[in-house]
């Protein structure tokens, strides 16, 4: 079965600093989703990557999928307190496997 | 455009009881998946419903069952509740398994 490992588990940064969260898969990814979650709330969709080498950006957040489609990174530029939360990566194995497999998440704290 | 709607938002039940959680998918979506998220963990896949049938199931016991209605809304039922069933239950909808939108979840506490 597919497993996703996220690093770091938690991260504390000063407002304005850049940061990167990584997601490594035990198998080749068909699709990789990034979500943000406030504590105890639902998941907010950030981006989806499917192609090797693909990179997408939205506001100050950039996500990349490596050429081998086994690792993804999420980069936040000039962090703000509004970026604080739990970031989750979810893998889509494709084919007849319809579930998303998630990592355990990365807790981001941004100090003003 | 309404997103995924889940009800209730919070629920407290006693061990051994049964519970029903509800989900209305995003407009235009035809597939509903259910996930269980324990504290400090990522969501775990319970099952997915498509065309009113259970299409795929995760590693959850038969105490967990579901249903999808003709309007694509869905219910998750859990029988004989255990303390370990306490979690955030998330519903996700999609169109043909592409582009998952999640609801805000139902927080279930079993005492």
């Amino acid at each position: 079965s597919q497993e996703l490992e996220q690093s770091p588990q938690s991260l504390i940064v000063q407002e304005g600093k850049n940061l990167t969260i990584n997601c490594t898969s035990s198998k080749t990814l068909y699709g990789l989703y990034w979500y943000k979650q406030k504590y105890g709330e639902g998941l907010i969709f950030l981006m989806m990557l499917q192609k090797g080498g693909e990179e997408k950006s939205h506001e100050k957040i950039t996500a990349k999928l490596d050429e081998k489609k086994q690792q993804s990174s999420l980069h936040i530029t000039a962090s703000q307190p509004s970026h604080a939360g739990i970031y989750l990566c979810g893998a889509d194995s494709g084919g007849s496997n319809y579930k998303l497999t998630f990592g355990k998440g990365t807790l981001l704290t941004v100090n003003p | 455009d309404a997103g995924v709607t889940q009800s209730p938002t919070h629920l407290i039940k006693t061990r051994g009881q049964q519970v029903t959680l509800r989900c209305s998918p995003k407009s235009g979506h035809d597939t509903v998946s259910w996930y269980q998220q324990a504290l400090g963990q990522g969501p775990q896949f319970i099952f997915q419903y498509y065309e009113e049938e259970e299409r795929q199931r995760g590693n959850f016991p038969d105490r967990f069952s579901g249903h999808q209605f003709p309007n694509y809304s869905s219910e998750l039922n859990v029988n004989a509740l255990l303390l370990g069933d306490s979690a955030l239950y998330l519903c996700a909808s999609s169109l043909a398994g592409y582009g998952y939108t999640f609801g805000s979840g139902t927080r279930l506490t079993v005492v």
Side-chain angles (χ1 to χ4, degrees):
Chain A
S1 61
Q2 186 165 35
E3 293 183 358
L4 293 181
E5 184 173 337
Q6 285 188 237
S7 62
Q9 290 184 329
S10 64
L11 194 54
I12 301 174
V13 299
Q14 204 67 30
E15 182 176 0
K17 294 295 185 183
N18 302 336
L19 64 105
T20 300
I21 298 168
N22 294 301
C23 176
T24 302
S25 172
S26 59
K27 296 183 178 181
T28 300
L29 295 160
Y30 176 79
L32 191 285
Y33 293 75
W34 282 101
Y35 290 91
K36 179 185 175 184
Q37 184 178 34
K38 290 287 191 180
Y39 180 79
E41 298 181 6
L43 276 59
I44 300 168
F45 173 78
L46 296 175
M47 276 169 276
M48 180 195 175
L49 305 166
Q50 278 192 301
K51 300 177 183 177
E54 187 175 11
E55 178 175 321
K56 289 185 177 178
S57 294
H58 178 66
E59 297 181 342
K60 296 184 178 182
I61 301 176
T62 300
K64 300 177 185 179
L65 183 61
D66 75 338
E67 289 290 342
K68 294 184 178 180
K69 296 177 66 175
Q70 283 196 270
Q71 188 167 29
S72 178
S73 61
L74 186 81
H75 184 78
I76 299 177
T77 303
S79 58
Q80 301 169 349
S82 61
H83 287 128
I86 300 167
Y87 289 82
L88 290 156
C89 62
D92 180 353
S93 298
S96 59
N97 188 353
Y98 301 102
K99 69 178 184 180
L100 287 182
T101 300
F102 285 91
K104 291 186 177 181
T106 295
L107 175 61
L108 173 63
T109 303
V110 181
N111 290 326
Chain B
D1 178 26
V4 178
T5 304
Q6 291 188 242
S7 64
T9 54
H10 296 84
L11 203 52
I12 300 175
K13 289 287 188 178
T14 304
R15 272 182 302 176
Q17 284 189 316
Q18 178 263 345
V19 68
T20 296
L21 310 182
R22 295 176 175 82
C23 173
S24 292
K26 181 178 178 179
S27 177
H29 284 183
D30 59 3
T31 304
V32 173
S33 304
W34 287 92
Y35 290 80
Q36 180 195 65
Q37 187 179 23
L39 204 60
Q41 301 294 316
Q44 297 291 317
F45 176 77
I46 302 175
F47 42 54
Q48 184 181 91
Y49 276 84
Y50 174 69
E51 293 186 341
E52 302 179 49
E53 296 286 335
E54 183 182 289
R55 179 157 72 172
Q56 186 176 358
R57 188 180 184 90
N59 295 324
F60 280 81
D62 292 344
R63 297 187 297 109
F64 289 76
S65 63
H67 189 78
Q68 186 179 35
F69 300 93
N71 67 353
Y72 306 119
S73 67
S74 177
E75 290 182 347
L76 164 65
N77 301 292
V78 187
N79 295 322
L81 284 166
L82 304 173
L83 295 179
D85 295 331
S86 295
L88 180 68
Y89 288 85
L90 295 162
C91 170
S93 72
S94 61
L95 177 62
Y98 182 83
Y100 296 91
T101 300
F102 281 79
S104 297
T106 295
R107 170 69 64 186
L108 172 64
T109 302
V110 182
V111 297

